[in-house]
Amino acid sequence: MVLVPGARNRWLGASARWKLIHYVPYHYTSKVDEKFEEVQADDVESKIREIIPPGFCSGTDDFVSLLEKEVNFKPFGPIIHTYKVYNEEACEEFTYEIHKADLTCPGFREYHERLQTFLMWFIETASYIDVDDERWDYFVVFEKYNKDGTTLFATVGYMTVYNYYVYPDKTRPRVSQMLILPPFQSEGHGAQLLETVHRYYVTSPNILDVTGIVEPPICTNGIDDVHLLDFIVIKVGERLILVIQTHDALNLAHQERVWGCSI
């Protein structure tokens, strides 16, 4: 729920699930009038429409009816990694899958349009990418769980990678965006995703190296993105050469950080 100025008891909420159909209720009990000089109620709906793609729901009944149709949702693209995380509160292990998707997967373009809107809420410097550029790769993390005998999938987070050409016959993948949604943060999903993406690329003979520009925060759980990168570098060891351009700790300038080990 988000409180917005210009009206009394005015609030805006947003939620999504499975295929990330957005539910954006908008309510207020009263609105400013001419008695308030130079004060005008914010046009919240128009601002939301600039971020959220068409098709979002404003009514509860419409949203619930769509949810009932979403139980058949399946992740896009092939699985490239599966792992489990033990949840202490639930006292059980949960299964997660990382899929590599692309725009040839039916429905993925529309799904990505909804998914990328979360960047605007959680990453200050985020911007949308040009999905018509075929050099983009997409990696999505899903939680796989069972409810009432039905296998369901919830979106955990995702990463986009751009493949730059390197003369004469190499490719340099560059990490562009990475987001783990708040309900799943501090569970190790960022490390799993980053390591899986690195492993996916280094097995290809035409890959020169893997680079990335990381805008803070890479996640929104307060953990420094550089610490996550350091962890991955240590874990993959001597086979990793990763160039990361990151912000200076004092935010004075950009600096280039290079990790590598001689083999």
Side-chain angles (χ1 to χ4, degrees), residues 92-105:
E92 62 176 304
E93 281 189 330
F94 289 86
T95 301
Y96 298 88
E97 299 177 351
I98 299 179
H99 291 245
K100 182 184 182 297
D102 57 58
L103 296 183
T104 63
C105 301

Side-chain angles (χ1 to χ4, degrees), residues 52-161:
I52 299 180
F56 66 85
C57 299
S58 298
T60 305
D61 293 340
D62 293 337
F63 185 63
V64 171
S65 65
L66 285 175
L67 286 182
E68 294 174 351
K69 301 176 183 178
E70 296 301 309
V71 294
N72 296 323
F73 169 74
K74 296 294 184 295
F76 304 94
I79 302 173
I80 61 173
H81 182 56
T82 301
Y83 62 97
K84 295 181 181 295
V85 174
Y86 182 78
N87 187 294
E88 295 184 356
E89 293 183 2
C91 297
E92 62 176 304
E93 281 189 330
F94 289 86
T95 301
Y96 298 88
E97 299 177 351
I98 299 179
H99 291 245
K100 182 184 182 297
D102 57 58
L103 296 183
T104 63
C105 301
F108 181 72
R109 176 185 288 267
E110 294 76 16
Y111 171 84
H112 177 262
E113 286 182 354
R114 297 187 291 270
L115 176 60
Q116 68 178 349
T117 62
F118 288 94
L119 295 174
M120 299 303 177
W121 301 107
F122 299 117
I123 299 182
E124 183 178 356
T125 56
S127 60
Y128 292 158
I129 64 175
D130 179 11
V131 295
D132 292 323
D133 191 331
E134 297 180 354
R135 287 185 170 271
W136 285 106
D137 285 338
Y138 308 84
F139 300 87
V140 189
V141 187
F142 294 95
E143 179 189 30
K144 182 180 180 180
Y145 64 101
N146 187 282
K147 182 178 181 181
D148 299 329
T150 302
T151 300
L152 302 174
F153 296 87
T155 302
V156 174
Y158 82 115
M159 175 189 289
T160 58
V161 179

Side-chain angles (χ1 to χ4, degrees), residues 122 180 182 185-186 216-228:
F122 299 117
I180 302 299
Q185 291 176 5
S186 300
I218 195 169
C219 301
T220 58
N221 58 2
I223 297 178
D224 195 311
D225 52 303
V226 176
H227 292 168
L228 174 60

Side-chain angles (χ1 to χ4, degrees), residues 172-245:
R172 172 175 283 139
R174 186 176 183 84
V175 176
S176 173
Q177 302 163 318
M178 180 176 174
L179 176 68
I180 302 299
L181 296 176
F184 300 97
Q185 291 176 5
S186 300
E187 295 180 353
H189 300 295
Q192 288 280 355
L193 179 56
L194 194 58
E195 184 181 2
T196 299
V197 170
H198 168 261
R199 185 168 55 245
Y200 172 83
Y201 286 115
V202 297
T203 56
S204 176
N206 69 322
I207 297 299
L208 180 65
D209 55 23
V210 182
T211 70
I213 180 168
V214 181
E215 297 290 351
I218 195 169
C219 301
T220 58
N221 58 2
I223 297 178
D224 195 311
D225 52 303
V226 176
H227 292 168
L228 174 60
L229 295 169
D230 286 343
F231 170 76
I232 297 301
V233 170
I234 293 172
K235 191 171 182 180
V236 299
E238 64 179 14
R239 295 186 179 181
L240 175 63
I241 300 176
L242 179 61
V243 181
I244 300 295
Q245 185 181 41

